Amino acid sequence: MRIIIVGASGVIGKKLVAAFGKDHEVVTAGSKSGDFQVDIHSPASIEAFYKQVGSFDAVVATAGGAHFGPLTSMTDADFRVGLDSKLMGQVNLVLIGQHYINDKGSFTLTSGSVSAMPIRLGGALTPVNRAIEGFVAGAAIELERGVRINAVSPTLVEDSPQYVPFFPGVEPVSMDAVVRGYQRAVLGPQTGLTIEVW
Amino acid sequence: MRIIIVGASGVIGKKLVAAFGKDHEVVTAGSKSGDFQVDIHSPASIEAFYKQVGSFDAVVATAGGAHFGPLTSMTDADFRVGLDSKLMGQVNLVLIGQHYINDKGSFTLTSGSVSAMPIRLGGALTPVNRAIEGFVAGAAIELERGVRINAVSPTLVEDSPQYVPFFPGVEPVSMDAVVRGYQRAVLGPQTGLTIEVW
C-alpha cells in the first residue's frame, strides 16, 4: 500500500511514518519538510501536490492548528484560524483527493478528545474537532469507488508533556496507542468512524 | 425577560416570536425585516446591532445557511458557505454578544439533526451543525456572569415539507415540539447542552 502522511514531521506524524513504513511505502508531506511540500491552507497547493505525488491508497492527515485562548477575548479572526487550518486543510485534502485516490483507498483525519471533553481556553478547538468528525460521518456515505474515511481522536499524548496543565486529571496516552488508532483506520474495514484514543 | 430572536421571519423564527411573545418582550431581528436589521455575516454589523438594541436577557439564533450538494463536486468555496453563514454568524452573535448580554442571560443557537444523522448531499451540513454544538459545549464552561448557552437541534419540521425527500423515513416534528425545545433552552437552567427535537 502507498500511504501519504501529511504532517509527517509532527509529534504523531513521525511515529506513523515509522510504524506504517515497516510494511508499506510511505510518502511524507509537510509544509516545509518531507518528500513533498504542500500548504494545506491552499486548495491550489493541494491540487498541485496530488497531481505530482502519483498513485496512492491512503492519506493520513495529522496537520493543522487552531486558536487556543480565552472565550472572553476571542474574535472572529481567532476562531477562523482553526477553520482555515485544521478544518479546511483536512477537508480539502479529501474534497480534492477523492478525485486522485485509488479505488478502495482511505482518508484518515485527525480530530482530538477536546471534541468530546471541552477544556478551558478551548472554545475554538471543540467546534473544529467536532466539524472534522462530522465531515467524516457525512462524507462516508457519499465517497465513491469504495473509498473510506475515518477520524482518529487522540487525547493528550505522552510526547506532548507541555499540554499536561490544560488537561487536569487526564492520563496521557502512549504513542503506541495513538499509532494503533491510525492503523485501525487505514488497515481496517470501517468508514465514517471517529476512533477515540483515550 | 427581553428576548432577541435573530432570524425572526423564518419558519422556526416566526413560531418563536409568537410563543415567547405571550410572556416576554420579543425583539425581532433579520437580514431584511424585523425591529432591527443585522447581517450575521459581518462582525461589524453584529457589533452595531448590539450597541443599538439596548439591554437584553436572551438571544435566540435561527438564522444562517449552508451548502447542500454532492460531495463528488464539492469545493472549498461550497464548504465555506456554511462556515461563513450558519457557523460564524451564530458564533459571532455569541463572541460579541457576551459583552452586551445581561447577567444570567442566555444564548440559544440552532444546529439540526443532520449533525447526528447525516443525509445524502449533506457533506457540508453535518460538520457545520456539529461545530455549532461543539461551540456551545466549549463556550459554556467559559461564559461569565452566569450566562448560559445551548443549542436546539431540530430534525425535519412539519412546516418545511419541501425537505421530506431528503429525509427518508424521518417523521417530521411538530412546530410545537420545536418551540418547546427553545423554551427549554431559554427558560430552563441548563448550559452547554444540545437539545434534540426528534
Side-chain angles (χ1 to χ4, degrees):
Chain A
M1 201 182 288
R2 190 160 187 257
I3 303 172
I4 298 171
I5 299 178
V6 181
S9 68
V11 168
I12 292 175
K14 61 192 177 191
K15 297 292 184 184
L16 298 180
V17 172
F20 284 113
K22 287 175 192 160
D23 299 309
H24 303 278
E25 181 187 352
V26 167
V27 177
T28 60
S31 58
K32 294 183 195 118
S33 61
D35 301 326
F36 292 87
Q37 276 74 60
V38 58
D39 175 7
I40 61 165
H41 300 77
S42 160
S45 175
I46 292 172
E47 185 94 46
F49 164 69
Y50 280 126
K51 280 188 194 304
Q52 215 183 347
V53 74
S55 168
F56 60 92
D57 304 290
V59 176
V60 178
T62 64
H67 175 77
F68 184 64
L71 187 84
T72 49
S73 59
M74 194 177 290
T75 65
D76 176 77
D78 292 334
F79 195 97
R80 284 179 185 270
V81 171
L83 300 185
D84 291 340
S85 178
K86 188 168 182 178
L87 177 60
M88 290 314 301
Q90 298 196 71
V91 165
N92 281 323
L93 282 167
V94 177
L95 291 183
I96 299 167
Q98 69 179 324
H99 305 297
Y100 293 92
I101 196 166
N102 290 343
D103 288 1
K104 300 189 180 174
S106 71
F107 294 98
T108 304
L109 308 187
T110 301
S111 61
S113 66
V114 173
S115 172
M117 299 177 283
I119 60 174
R120 286 187 195 95
L121 309 182
L125 300 180
T126 300
V128 162
N129 286 316
R130 289 224 194 159
I132 291 162
E133 297 170 3
F135 177 65
V136 161
I141 59 179
E142 290 193 64
L143 282 168
E144 298 186 340
R145 301 184 291 111
V147 173
R148 298 179 302 107
I149 183 168
N150 296 287
V152 175
S153 175
T155 190
L156 180 64
V157 300
E158 63 177 349
D159 283 5
S160 295
Q162 70 274 29
Y163 298 130
V164 166
F166 302 106
F167 290 82
V170 173
E171 183 173 359
V173 289
S174 71
M175 298 312 294
D176 281 354
V178 173
V179 166
R180 284 195 291 274
Y182 288 89
Q183 287 171 328
R184 284 179 58 195
V186 175
L187 307 173
Q190 278 89 9
T191 190
L193 285 192
T194 295
I195 297 167
E196 299 173 343
V197 183
W198 65 67
Chain B
M1 200 182 290
R2 191 160 185 258
I3 303 172
I4 297 170
I5 299 178
V6 181
S9 68
V11 168
I12 291 175
K14 61 191 177 192
K15 296 293 184 183
L16 299 180
V17 171
F20 284 114
K22 288 176 193 161
D23 299 309
H24 302 279
E25 181 187 350
V26 166
V27 177
T28 59
S31 57
K32 291 180 198 123
S33 61
D35 302 325
F36 292 86
Q37 277 73 61
V38 58
D39 175 7
I40 63 166
H41 300 77
S42 159
S45 175
I46 293 172
E47 185 94 45
F49 165 68
Y50 280 126
K51 281 189 197 301
Q52 216 183 348
V53 75
S55 168
F56 61 93
D57 304 291
V59 176
V60 178
T62 63
H67 175 77
F68 183 64
L71 188 83
T72 48
S73 59
M74 194 178 288
T75 65
D76 175 78
D78 292 334
F79 196 96
R80 284 179 185 269
V81 171
L83 301 184
D84 291 341
S85 178
K86 188 169 181 178
L87 177 60
M88 290 315 301
Q90 298 197 69
V91 165
N92 281 323
L93 281 168
V94 177
L95 292 183
I96 299 168
Q98 67 178 326
H99 306 296
Y100 293 92
I101 196 167
N102 290 341
D103 289 2
K104 301 189 179 173
S106 71
F107 294 98
T108 303
L109 309 187
T110 301
S111 62
S113 67
V114 174
S115 171
M117 299 177 283
I119 60 174
R120 286 187 195 95
L121 310 181
L125 301 180
T126 300
V128 162
N129 286 317
R130 289 224 193 161
I132 291 163
E133 297 169 3
F135 177 65
V136 161
I141 60 180
E142 289 193 65
L143 281 168
E144 299 187 339
R145 303 182 291 110
V147 173
R148 299 179 301 107
I149 183 168
N150 296 287
V152 174
S153 175
T155 190
L156 180 64
V157 300
E158 62 176 350
D159 282 6
S160 294
Q162 70 274 28
Y163 298 130
V164 166
F166 303 107
F167 290 82
V170 173
E171 184 173 359
V173 291
S174 70
M175 298 312 293
D176 282 352
V178 173
V179 165
R180 284 195 291 273
Y182 287 90
Q183 287 171 327
R184 284 179 58 195
V186 175
L187 307 173
Q190 277 88 10
T191 190
L193 285 192
T194 295
I195 297 167
E196 297 171 345
V197 183
W198 66 67

